[in-house]
Each structure stands twice: as C-alpha cells, then as structure tokens.
Amino acid sequence: MLAEDSVLLRAGLTGLLERLAFEVTAVPDGAALTAAVRESVPDLVVTDVRMPPAFADEGLRAALALRATRPDLPIVVLSQYIEPDGAAELLTTGGGKAIGYLLKDRIVDVDDFAATLRRVAAGGTAVDPQVVARLLRRRAEPVAALSPREREVLGLIAEGLSNAAIMRALEISEPAVGKHVRAIFTKLGLPPDDDTHRRVLAVLAYLGSGIG
C-alpha cells in the first residue's frame, strides 16, 4: 500500500515497485491510506509524511494511527523530511519491529531499496542514518556520556545492523563491537540483549521517551 500525494511520484514509485515484483495499491493521502488499510491487510505500507490537506505530518499521523490499531503492520515512512517527534514515536511502536524511516533523496540503489522494504515487511527495522542522527541530537544529554566510537556504534545499532555487520562497517573486531555495545547499554541504563530488534527497540525507545 503506497501513500503519496504527488501524481508523478506516485506513478513513478508504483511503476518501480511493480518492476521489483511488488503488487501495489496507491492512494493520494493519509485519509485514503487509513480507509484502504481498514478494507484490506497489506503486507507493507509505504507512506510520505507531508500530504493533503495541510501538507504537515498527515502521513506520519496516519502511520501512527495504523500502528495503534495494528501494531504488527509493517510500515516504511518514505519522505524528504525528518519529523523527529513523530519518528521517535513511530519507531517505538509494535515492539520496534516491522518499521522504517527512509529519506527519498538518499536512496541511490533500487535493489537495496527493494531489499530494505522486504526486510521491514518481514519484521525488520530500517532507519536512515540522518534520521538516527536527528534522534540522537534530541537526546544529547544521555548520549553525551558515550565516546565518539560508541556513538558511531549506537547509530549503526539503530539502523538495525548486527554485531557482525558493524564489525565490517567499522573494520574492527567482533569482540570490540561487543565491548562497545555493552558499554553503550550500561551508560544509557539499558540491559544488553543479543536480539538485534530488541536492541533497536531499546535504543529508539530511550531516544523517544524523554527518560534520563
């Protein structure tokens, strides 16, 4: 289910997703998205943030309302804009699973984009690093206790990377990654967990909750 108000973007994304083997139902705004989801059970919702009538955060509010009634409904926000308050709230819904927030201008590979959508549809998490950075800035005080390397690792955790993936991204050993992860959760007052999705939930829940 695709919600996008721009006629050209809606047609372009529909065509692209269909070429990538997705079956797409497209709607023009948040109200139409909410109504369409009530009538069906899509495998995945992809929605813009700013849509009619006010072009504020209608798509994000629709996504929050949908997750309130269907916490396991996979949703990816796809936008040019970062709405940090709504993003923090959305990313902690449904146990932090099957959720994503991507920026249109930063998608450079359609195959990677398709893989990301499928990962979220399967229960994974996908958060653009710039969204993560904005959320980190919102919670500057607790994050200030982390070392630069720990903040770097925290950003990768919030993107959904495993320890092995972080090891490859930063070119450090896996035991070193584990040490950084344990230090992050200790400093933030969060218990470590071996499950990637639970780690993402803990990080994003803390960032969005105002705890600290």
Side-chain angles (χ1 to χ4, degrees):
M1 190 79 66
L2 170 66
E4 168 62 59
D5 64 285
S6 167
V7 173
L8 292 179
L9 280 178
R10 188 165 66 246
L13 280 170
T14 297
L16 172 64
L17 291 171
E18 288 177 343
R19 288 195 299 275
L20 294 169
F22 291 88
E23 295 180 9
V24 182
T25 298
V27 296
D29 54 49
L33 171 63
T34 301
V37 172
R38 286 198 191 106
E39 296 177 0
S40 64
V41 184
D43 297 313
L44 176 68
V45 168
V46 178
T47 181
D48 195 2
V49 169
R50 299 183 181 182
M51 292 191 289
F55 294 94
D57 60 351
E58 288 84 355
L60 193 52
R61 285 191 281 108
L64 286 165
L66 291 172
R67 290 280 283 196
T69 57
R70 297 186 182 181
D72 59 346
L73 177 66
I75 295 180
V76 171
V77 172
L78 178 63
S79 181
Q80 293 176 306
Y81 307 100
I82 302 173
E83 299 289 347
D85 291 337
E89 184 178 355
L90 181 66
L91 293 169
T92 59
T93 61
K97 298 182 180 181
I99 200 71
Y101 199 122
L102 305 178
L103 300 179
K104 292 175 180 176
D105 293 343
R106 288 171 50 81
I107 294 172
V108 297
D109 187 290
V110 295
D111 291 330
D112 287 346
F113 176 53
T116 298
L117 295 184
R118 292 190 175 98
R119 184 168 77 246
V120 173
T125 303
V127 186
D128 187 278
Q130 288 193 2
V131 177
V132 173
R134 182 70 66 85
L135 293 177
L136 291 175
R137 287 197 294 272
R138 290 177 74 249
R139 299 301 305 152
E141 291 182 9
V143 173
L146 305 180
S147 71
R149 176 63 91 182
E150 288 164 355
R151 288 196 293 271
E152 193 172 14
V153 171
L154 176 59
L156 295 174
I157 290 173
E159 291 176 47
L161 272 65
S162 65
N163 280 10
I166 294 172
M167 174 191 71
R168 292 190 294 271
L170 299 181
E171 298 182 345
I172 59 177
S173 69
E174 193 160 3
V177 175
K179 179 180 177 181
H180 290 313
V181 170
R182 289 191 295 273
I184 288 166
F185 282 101
T186 297
K187 291 180 180 180
L188 296 183
L190 298 167
D193 196 300
D194 290 332
D195 181 81
T196 301
H197 300 312
R198 290 184 184 275
R199 295 191 307 166
V200 172
L201 168 63
V203 172
L204 295 177
Y206 186 82
L207 294 174
S209 68
I211 297 173

